[in-house]
Amino acid sequence: MRTFIAAYPSKRVLEQLLRERELFCGRDSHIRLMKMGNIHLTLLFLGDTTHQQLLSLREELPCLLKSYSPKKAIIEVMAPFPDPVRPKVYAGLLNRECSDELSDLVGAIRKLAKKLHFCKLQSGYRGHVSLGRYRRGGKVVENLSHELLEPISWEIDEIHLVESRLLPAGAVHKTIDSFP
């Protein structure tokens, strides 16, 4: 089973993100739009997860999260990500200050994941909310990167452990557990 740790935006924030996405990439055939239920802020992709790792995560993650106060997510830029020349996704990028604050939390989660013997952990952290995935060989339309006139923000008050199943029609995400 493939898993990741994420935060989901509120309905209000999701609607704002979808409006921005439609304005700038809704008609771009090089981008496959994410399903509404799959839009999330990834904190840490864990990858293949054993049953024992899953049990340990569900037991230890709540204790770890208690020492972190709710964090604010602020999206100021929409852009191809992670590399503007060869992007994987079109995303709302967190401002650097939020990314830095969240990186402490992500670092603690990464440390726990290492202790539980997860192998393929991402290094570094740049908070983003993926809104669409670039098709292979898709070219980047230059005007897709833009600053928002009004930042989109929300309080992250719940963290989710999510299963991701890859299907021909796209990924299907299912929350395994949630932690306040």
Side-chain angles (χ1 to χ4, degrees), residues 53-104:
Q53 286 172 318
L54 184 62
L55 292 175
S56 296
L57 269 174
R58 293 175 88 175
E59 181 180 314
E60 295 189 41
L61 202 50
C63 297
L64 181 142
L65 294 174
K66 282 181 185 173
S67 61
Y68 289 88
S69 59
K71 302 289 185 192
K72 190 169 198 150
I74 302 171
I75 295 173
E76 295 180 335
V77 175
M78 306 291 270
F81 183 79
D83 174 3
V85 176
R86 295 186 188 279
K88 292 182 181 182
V89 296
Y90 180 73
L93 306 181
L94 292 188
N95 74 6
R96 286 288 181 192
E97 187 178 312
C98 285
S99 255
D100 291 346
E101 280 186 24
L102 281 172
S103 68
D104 293 341

Coordinates of all heavy atoms in Angstrom, one line a residue, residues 53-104:
Q53 N 4.2 -1.1 9.7 CA 4.5 0.3 9.6 C 3.2 1.1 9.8 O 3.2 2.2 10.5 CB 5.2 0.7 8.3 CG 6.6 0.3 8.2 CD 7.2 0.5 6.8 OE1 6.5 0.2 5.8 NE2 8.4 1.0 6.7
L54 N 2.2 0.7 9.2 CA 0.9 1.4 9.3 C 0.4 1.4 10.7 O 0.0 2.4 11.2 CB -0.1 0.7 8.4 CG -1.5 1.3 8.3 CD1 -1.4 2.8 7.7 CD2 -2.4 0.5 7.4
L55 N 0.5 0.3 11.4 CA 0.1 0.2 12.8 C 0.9 1.1 13.7 O 0.4 1.8 14.5 CB 0.2 -1.3 13.3 CG -0.8 -2.3 12.7 CD1 -0.5 -3.7 13.2 CD2 -2.3 -1.9 13.1
S56 N 2.2 1.1 13.4 CA 3.1 1.9 14.2 C 2.9 3.4 14.0 O 2.9 4.2 14.9 CB 4.6 1.6 13.9 OG 4.9 0.3 14.3
L57 N 2.6 3.8 12.7 CA 2.3 5.2 12.4 C 1.0 5.6 13.1 O 1.0 6.7 13.7 CB 2.1 5.4 10.9 CG 3.2 5.7 10.0 CD1 2.8 5.7 8.6 CD2 3.8 7.1 10.4
R58 N 0.0 4.8 13.1 CA -1.3 5.1 13.7 C -1.1 5.3 15.2 O -1.9 6.0 15.9 CB -2.3 4.1 13.3 CG -2.7 4.2 11.9 CD -3.6 3.1 11.5 NE -5.0 3.6 11.7 CZ -6.1 2.9 11.3 NH1 -6.0 1.7 10.7 NH2 -7.3 3.4 11.5
E59 N -0.2 4.6 15.8 CA 0.1 4.6 17.2 C 0.9 5.8 17.6 O 0.6 6.5 18.6 CB 0.7 3.3 17.7 CG 1.0 3.3 19.2 CD 1.7 2.0 19.6 OE1 1.2 0.9 19.1 OE2 2.6 2.1 20.3
E60 N 2.0 6.1 16.8 CA 3.0 7.1 17.2 C 2.7 8.5 16.7 O 3.1 9.5 17.3 CB 4.4 6.6 16.8 CG 4.8 5.4 17.6 CD 6.3 5.0 17.3 OE1 7.1 6.0 17.3 OE2 6.5 3.8 17.2
L61 N 2.0 8.6 15.6 CA 1.8 10.0 15.0 C 1.0 10.9 15.9 O 1.4 12.1 16.0 CB 1.1 9.8 13.6 CG 1.3 10.9 12.6 CD1 2.7 11.4 12.4 CD2 0.7 10.6 11.3
P62 N -0.1 10.4 16.5 CA -0.8 11.3 17.4 C 0.1 12.0 18.5 O -0.1 13.1 18.8 CB -1.9 10.5 18.0 CG -2.1 9.3 17.1 CD -0.7 9.1 16.5
C63 N 1.0 11.2 19.1 CA 1.9 11.7 20.1 C 2.8 12.8 19.6 O 3.0 13.8 20.2 CB 2.7 10.5 20.7 SG 1.7 9.3 21.6
L64 N 3.3 12.5 18.4 CA 4.2 13.5 17.8 C 3.5 14.8 17.5 O 4.0 15.9 17.7 CB 4.8 12.9 16.5 CG 5.8 13.8 15.7 CD1 6.8 12.9 15.1 CD2 5.0 14.5 14.6
L65 N 2.3 14.7 16.9 CA 1.5 15.9 16.5 C 1.1 16.7 17.7 O 0.9 17.9 17.5 CB 0.3 15.5 15.7 CG 0.7 14.8 14.3 CD1 -0.6 14.3 13.6 CD2 1.4 15.8 13.4
K66 N 0.9 16.2 18.9 CA 0.5 16.9 20.0 C 1.5 18.0 20.4 O 1.1 19.0 21.0 CB 0.3 16.0 21.3 CG -1.0 15.2 21.2 CD -1.1 14.4 22.4 CE -2.4 13.5 22.3 NZ -2.5 12.5 23.4
S67 N 2.7 17.9 20.0 CA 3.7 18.9 20.4 C 3.8 20.0 19.3 O 4.6 20.9 19.4 CB 5.1 18.2 20.6 OG 5.5 17.6 19.4
Y68 N 2.9 20.0 18.3 CA 2.9 21.0 17.3 C 1.5 21.7 17.3 O 0.5 21.1 17.2 CB 3.2 20.4 15.9 CG 4.6 20.0 15.8 CD1 5.0 18.7 16.2 CD2 5.6 20.9 15.3 CE1 6.3 18.4 16.1 CE2 6.9 20.5 15.2 CZ 7.3 19.3 15.6 OH 8.6 18.9 15.5
S69 N 1.6 23.0 17.4 CA 0.3 23.8 17.3 C -0.2 23.9 15.9 O 0.6 23.6 15.0 CB 0.5 25.2 17.9 OG 1.5 25.9 17.1
P70 N -1.5 24.2 15.7 CA -2.0 24.3 14.3 C -1.1 25.3 13.5 O -0.7 26.3 14.1 CB -3.4 24.8 14.5 CG -3.8 24.4 15.9 CD -2.5 24.4 16.7
K71 N -0.9 25.0 12.3 CA -0.1 25.8 11.4 C -1.1 26.5 10.3 O -2.1 25.9 10.0 CB 0.9 25.0 10.7 CG 1.9 24.2 11.6 CD 2.8 25.2 12.3 CE 3.8 24.4 13.1 NZ 4.6 25.2 13.9
K72 N -0.6 27.6 9.9 CA -1.4 28.3 8.8 C -0.7 28.0 7.5 O 0.5 28.0 7.3 CB -1.4 29.8 9.1 CG -2.3 30.5 8.2 CD -2.5 31.9 8.7 CE -3.8 32.5 8.1 NZ -4.4 33.5 8.9
A73 N -1.6 27.7 6.5 CA -1.1 27.5 5.1 C -1.5 28.7 4.3 O -2.7 29.1 4.4 CB -1.7 26.3 4.5
I74 N -0.6 29.4 3.6 CA -0.9 30.5 2.8 C -0.3 30.3 1.4 O 0.9 30.1 1.2 CB -0.3 31.8 3.4 CG1 -0.8 32.1 4.8 CG2 -0.6 33.0 2.5 CD1 -0.1 33.2 5.5
I75 N -1.2 30.3 0.4 CA -0.8 30.1 -1.0 C -0.8 31.5 -1.6 O -1.8 32.2 -1.6 CB -1.7 29.1 -1.7 CG1 -1.6 27.7 -1.1 CG2 -1.4 29.1 -3.2 CD1 -2.6 26.7 -1.6
E76 N 0.3 31.8 -2.2 CA 0.5 33.1 -2.9 C 0.7 33.0 -4.4 O 0.6 34.0 -5.1 CB 1.6 33.9 -2.2 CG 1.3 34.3 -0.8 CD 2.5 35.1 -0.1 OE1 3.6 34.9 -0.6 OE2 2.2 35.8 0.8
V77 N 1.2 31.9 -4.8 CA 1.6 31.7 -6.2 C 1.1 30.4 -6.8 O 1.0 29.4 -6.1 CB 3.2 31.7 -6.3 CG1 3.6 31.4 -7.7 CG2 3.8 33.0 -5.8
M78 N 0.6 30.4 -8.0 CA 0.2 29.2 -8.7 C 1.3 29.1 -9.8 O 1.6 30.0 -10.5 CB -1.1 29.4 -9.4 CG -2.2 29.8 -8.4 SD -2.7 28.6 -7.2 CE -3.9 27.8 -8.1
A79 N 1.8 27.8 -9.9 CA 2.9 27.6 -10.9 C 3.2 26.2 -11.2 O 2.8 25.3 -10.4 CB 4.2 28.2 -10.2
P80 N 3.9 25.9 -12.3 CA 4.3 24.6 -12.6 C 5.4 24.2 -11.5 O 6.1 25.0 -11.1 CB 5.0 24.7 -14.0 CG 4.4 25.9 -14.6 CD 4.2 26.9 -13.4
F81 N 5.3 22.9 -11.1 CA 6.2 22.5 -9.9 C 6.6 21.1 -10.1 O 5.9 20.3 -10.7 CB 5.3 22.6 -8.6 CG 6.0 22.3 -7.4 CD1 6.9 23.3 -6.8 CD2 5.8 21.1 -6.8 CE1 7.5 23.0 -5.6 CE2 6.5 20.8 -5.6 CZ 7.3 21.8 -5.0
P82 N 7.8 20.6 -9.7 CA 8.8 21.4 -8.9 C 9.8 22.1 -9.8 O 10.5 23.0 -9.3 CB 9.5 20.3 -8.1 CG 9.4 19.1 -9.0 CD 8.1 19.2 -9.7
D83 N 9.8 21.8 -11.1 CA 10.8 22.4 -12.0 C 9.9 23.1 -13.1 O 9.2 22.5 -13.8 CB 11.7 21.4 -12.6 CG 12.6 21.9 -13.6 OD1 12.6 23.1 -13.9 OD2 13.4 21.1 -14.2
P84 N 10.1 24.5 -13.2 CA 9.2 25.1 -14.2 C 9.5 24.7 -15.6 O 8.6 24.9 -16.5 CB 9.6 26.6 -14.0 CG 10.8 26.7 -13.1 CD 10.9 25.4 -12.5
V85 N 10.6 24.1 -15.9 CA 10.9 23.7 -17.3 C 10.4 22.3 -17.5 O 9.8 22.0 -18.6 CB 12.5 23.7 -17.5 CG1 12.8 23.2 -18.9 CG2 13.0 25.1 -17.4
R86 N 10.5 21.4 -16.6 CA 10.0 20.0 -16.7 C 9.1 19.7 -15.4 O 9.5 18.9 -14.6 CB 11.1 19.0 -16.8 CG 11.9 19.2 -18.0 CD 12.9 18.0 -18.1 NE 13.9 18.2 -19.2 CZ 13.6 17.9 -20.5 NH1 12.5 17.4 -20.8 NH2 14.5 18.0 -21.4
P87 N 8.0 20.4 -15.3 CA 7.2 20.2 -14.1 C 6.4 18.8 -14.1 O 6.2 18.2 -15.1 CB 6.2 21.3 -14.2 CG 6.0 21.5 -15.7 CD 7.3 21.3 -16.3
K88 N 6.1 18.4 -12.9 CA 5.2 17.2 -12.8 C 3.8 17.7 -12.5 O 2.9 17.0 -13.0 CB 5.7 16.4 -11.6 CG 7.0 15.8 -11.8 CD 7.4 14.9 -10.6 CE 8.8 14.3 -10.9 NZ 9.2 13.4 -9.8
V89 N 3.6 18.8 -11.8 CA 2.3 19.2 -11.5 C 2.1 20.7 -11.6 O 3.1 21.5 -11.6 CB 1.9 18.8 -10.0 CG1 1.8 17.3 -9.9 CG2 2.8 19.5 -9.0
Y90 N 0.9 21.2 -11.7 CA 0.5 22.6 -11.6 C 0.0 22.7 -10.2 O -0.9 22.0 -9.8 CB -0.6 23.0 -12.6 CG -1.0 24.4 -12.6 CD1 -0.1 25.4 -13.0 CD2 -2.2 24.8 -12.0 CE1 -0.5 26.7 -12.9 CE2 -2.5 26.1 -11.9 CZ -1.7 27.1 -12.4 OH -2.0 28.4 -12.3
A91 N 0.6 23.7 -9.4 CA 0.3 23.7 -8.0 C 0.2 25.1 -7.4 O 0.7 26.1 -8.0 CB 1.4 22.9 -7.2
G92 N -0.5 25.2 -6.3 CA -0.5 26.4 -5.5 C 0.6 26.2 -4.5 O 0.7 25.2 -3.8
L93 N 1.6 27.2 -4.5 CA 2.8 27.1 -3.7 C 2.6 27.9 -2.4 O 2.1 29.0 -2.4 CB 4.0 27.6 -4.4 CG 4.3 27.0 -5.8 CD1 5.5 27.6 -6.4 CD2 4.4 25.5 -5.7
L94 N 2.9 27.2 -1.3 CA 2.9 27.9 0.0 C 4.0 29.0 0.0 O 5.0 28.8 -0.6 CB 3.2 27.0 1.2 CG 2.1 25.9 1.5 CD1 2.5 25.2 2.8 CD2 0.7 26.5 1.6
N95 N 3.7 30.1 0.7 CA 4.7 31.1 0.8 C 5.9 30.5 1.6 O 5.7 29.6 2.3 CB 4.2 32.5 1.3 CG 3.9 32.4 2.8 OD1 4.1 31.5 3.5 ND2 3.3 33.5 3.3
R96 N 7.1 31.1 1.5 CA 8.3 30.6 2.1 C 8.2 30.5 3.6 O 8.6 29.5 4.2 CB 9.5 31.4 1.7 CG 9.9 31.2 0.3 CD 10.6 29.8 0.1 NE 11.0 29.6 -1.3 CZ 11.4 28.5 -1.7 NH1 11.4 27.4 -1.0 NH2 11.7 28.4 -3.0
E97 N 7.5 31.5 4.2 CA 7.4 31.5 5.7 C 6.6 30.3 6.2 O 7.0 29.6 7.1 CB 6.8 32.8 6.1 CG 6.8 33.0 7.6 CD 6.2 34.3 8.0 OE1 6.5 35.4 7.4 OE2 5.3 34.3 8.9
C98 N 5.5 30.0 5.5 CA 4.7 28.8 5.9 C 5.5 27.6 5.6 O 5.4 26.7 6.4 CB 3.4 28.8 5.0 SG 2.2 30.0 5.5
S99 N 6.1 27.5 4.5 CA 6.9 26.3 4.2 C 8.0 26.1 5.2 O 8.2 24.9 5.7 CB 7.6 26.5 2.8 OG 7.0 25.7 1.9
D100 N 8.6 27.2 5.7 CA 9.6 27.0 6.7 C 9.0 26.5 8.0 O 9.6 25.6 8.7 CB 10.4 28.3 7.0 CG 11.3 28.7 5.8 OD1 11.5 27.9 4.9 OD2 11.7 29.9 5.8
E101 N 7.9 27.1 8.4 CA 7.2 26.6 9.7 C 6.8 25.1 9.6 O 7.0 24.4 10.5 CB 6.0 27.5 10.0 CG 6.3 28.8 10.6 CD 5.0 29.5 11.0 OE1 4.0 28.9 11.2 OE2 5.1 30.7 11.1
L102 N 6.2 24.8 8.4 CA 5.8 23.4 8.2 C 7.0 22.5 8.1 O 6.8 21.3 8.4 CB 4.9 23.3 7.0 CG 3.5 23.8 7.2 CD1 2.7 23.8 5.8 CD2 2.7 22.9 8.1
S103 N 8.1 23.0 7.7 CA 9.3 22.1 7.5 C 9.7 21.5 8.9 O 10.2 20.4 8.9 CB 10.4 22.8 6.8 OG 11.0 23.8 7.6
D104 N 9.5 22.2 10.0 CA 9.8 21.7 11.3 C 8.9 20.4 11.6 O 9.4 19.4 12.0 CB 9.5 22.7 12.4 CG 10.5 23.8 12.3 OD1 11.6 23.7 11.7 OD2 10.2 24.9 12.9

